[in-house]
Amino acid sequence: MNEEAIREVEQEIGYEFEDKCLLVQAFTRKSYTDEHHGGCNNEILEFYGDRVLDLVVVKELADYYGGVEDGIGYSCTYNESDSTAIKKRLVCSTSLAARMDELGFAKHLRMSRGDVVNNAQNQTHVKEDLFEAIIGAVAVDCGWNLDILQDTVEMMLHLDQYFDNNMTDYEDCVSLVQQWSQKRYGTLPEYHMFAADDRAWHDIYTPNCMDPGPCGRNFEYVCHLYIDDTVFFGYGLSKSSARLQAASLAYEYLEGNGLLITMENEIDAPAPERAVSQLQTLAQKGYFALPEYVFSEDHDSDGNPVWKCECHIDGYEYYYENEASSKKEAKRQAAYEMLTGILNHTNNPTD
């Protein structure tokens, strides 16, 4: 990892490493150290991160949905079974891998040549391992400071937004603004975080500031989001909530001024003969994971070959399949159905 990649990761997770080597280690797979005859890999950091993640998520659940009443004890909105299900949903492989996709961190992985050939960086479990290893690296670097670990997990998982939206799917403006910036400029949006008592955040005021103000509420952090020549302000009791408010304000601005980029803008009209390359284009631009195709061969009553192709994309509940007399045509049709399914869902999310 070069210095630019390290700064990018640190900004996105909201933590600056004292020992940058720990962050590099978090991105180093065992296959890389095996191939290069030694060095530290991310396996032990992944182990630590897995345990930290469980602790922080459980603590957040306990703080958000429960409390101690004098003379009664601790009570919680959810029972053990429900709490277990919520925790599993938050830290499952697909959730962690999806966040790595949104953050674009997998491209910085240090891997063996075999991993590169096999596109290991696109595998769900590899991205899950990376997420946990980063948390583990933060834990070691900060001396297991629970406040810092909680801040980092919140920044990487958007826990407060998830809870505030009653654990349902929601419009994650942080991710949407990030995707917009990557597509428009090829870079991540630039956030600057300040403690509330650091008056440096107030000195940034210019005619191009958009500031909703703290609305009389207590806040501990102020976030500045820079897009072009405009600065968007956000306030919150956590770094994550301050960043969310700044991103929400920026997203409203982009939407209101017709500046958003959609999947339809990236490709020509969907067509079976172009669907495979169109899906590939959208995946490479970061809208979703690379599609995977699963083939099987059968024969009709006359003995002619019949090819079946299934198109799968990580993060999408449904897959699409098609049959044709040729492998190529079956793939085209399955890709076309997946592409139109994604576009229809994007345009009609409640369908």
Side-chain angles (χ1 to χ4, degrees):
M1 294 178 71
N2 57 31
E3 291 183 5
E4 182 180 352
I6 289 172
R7 284 195 300 271
E8 172 190 312
V9 173
E10 288 180 330
Q11 180 182 337
E12 288 302 310
I13 69 175
Y15 178 76
E16 184 173 348
F17 280 80
E18 292 288 336
D19 185 352
K20 310 293 185 187
C21 290
L22 284 169
L23 181 57
V24 175
Q25 182 180 348
F27 281 79
T28 305
R29 283 176 52 76
K30 185 175 182 295
S31 67
Y32 180 90
T33 53
D34 287 347
E35 185 174 85
H36 291 78
H37 309 294
C40 297
N41 60 63
N42 65 7
E43 285 192 343
I44 189 62
L45 297 178
E46 172 202 335
F47 171 79
Y48 294 156
D50 177 54
R51 274 60 182 178
V52 169
L53 195 55
D54 274 353
L55 172 63
V56 171
V57 170
V58 169
K59 181 180 182 299
E60 288 285 285
L61 281 168
D63 291 344
Y64 197 93
Y65 293 110
V68 176
E69 298 181 44
D70 291 341
I72 298 177
Y74 176 84
S75 63
C76 183
T77 304
Y78 295 101
N79 60 26
E80 178 188 2
S81 176
D82 292 335
S83 296
T84 299
I86 294 169
K87 191 205 72 160
K88 284 183 177 178
R89 180 176 177 182
L90 285 168
V91 301
C92 69
S93 297
T94 52
S95 294
L96 302 187
R99 286 298 296 142
M100 290 294 91
D101 286 337
E102 291 169 6
L103 292 166
F105 284 178
K107 66 178 179 287
H108 300 309
L109 276 165
R110 303 170 81 204
M111 306 183 295
S112 67
R113 284 170 291 184
D115 274 352
V116 173
V117 169
N118 292 322
N119 292 313
Q121 73 277 6
N122 295 323
Q123 297 173 13
T124 297
H125 76 91
V126 172
K127 291 180 282 192
E128 175 192 13
D129 292 347
L130 175 59
F131 188 108
E132 293 171 345
I134 293 171
I135 298 296
V138 173
V140 174
D141 192 66
C142 74
W144 301 85
N145 183 303
L146 185 56
D147 289 337
I148 291 174
L149 292 172
Q150 186 167 327
D151 275 349
T152 305
V153 171
E154 285 178 353
M155 290 285 279
M156 292 180 70
L157 267 188
H158 300 174
L159 290 177
D160 49 356
Q161 299 151 11
Y162 183 73
F163 295 149
D164 288 346
N165 285 274
N166 297 317
M167 295 171 294
T168 59
D169 292 334
Y170 60 92
E171 194 170 65
D172 183 353
C173 291
V174 173
S175 297
L176 293 172
V177 170
Q178 178 173 294
Q179 292 167 11
W180 178 87
S181 180
Q182 288 174 317
K183 292 172 180 60
R184 183 71 174 266
Y185 302 112
T187 60
L188 293 169
E190 183 181 352
Y191 292 94
H192 288 228
M193 197 71 63
F194 302 87
D197 57 3
D198 180 357
R199 299 306 295 174
W201 63 265
H202 198 272
D203 296 337
I204 196 64
Y205 277 104
T206 71
N208 289 332
C209 283
M210 298 191 69
D211 183 4
C215 302
R217 295 171 295 164
N218 293 329
F219 62 96
E220 295 185 11
Y221 295 97
V222 180
C223 180
H224 294 163
L225 167 57
Y226 294 80
I227 293 180
D228 294 336
D229 296 324
T230 305
V231 184
F232 301 88
F233 278 64
Y235 302 85
L237 292 172
S238 68
K239 292 178 181 178
S240 180
S241 58
R243 182 175 64 171
L244 173 62
Q245 187 180 53
S248 298
L249 195 63
Y251 186 78
E252 289 175 6
Y253 170 82
L254 295 172
E255 187 175 42
N257 288 276
L259 298 174
L260 293 178
I261 301 170
T262 66
M263 283 192 274
E264 287 89 342
N265 298 145
E266 306 278 10
I267 58 173
D268 296 328
E273 62 272 14
R274 298 192 299 271
V276 173
S277 62
Q278 288 173 324
L279 272 182
Q280 183 85 5
T281 295
L282 293 175
Q284 290 173 340
K285 288 180 177 293
Y287 285 99
F288 41 73
L290 286 168
E292 297 180 5
Y293 299 94
V294 180
F295 296 94
S296 60
E297 185 183 11
D298 203 348
H299 295 82
D300 62 19
S301 57
D302 296 324
N304 299 311
V306 176
W307 283 96
K308 177 181 177 181
C309 177
E310 297 178 0
C311 181
H312 301 254
I313 293 180
D314 273 355
Y316 281 85
E317 179 181 358
Y318 301 103
Y319 68 89
Y320 293 84
E321 62 182 27
N322 209 283
E323 293 183 353
S325 58
S326 72
K327 190 175 182 180
K328 184 176 181 179
E329 183 60 24
K331 181 179 180 180
R332 280 180 175 175
Q333 292 297 331
Y336 177 68
E337 291 184 17
M338 174 63 82
L339 177 61
T340 54
I342 288 174
L343 293 177
N344 288 337
H345 176 74
T346 301
N347 293 328
N348 304 285
T350 57
D351 286 354

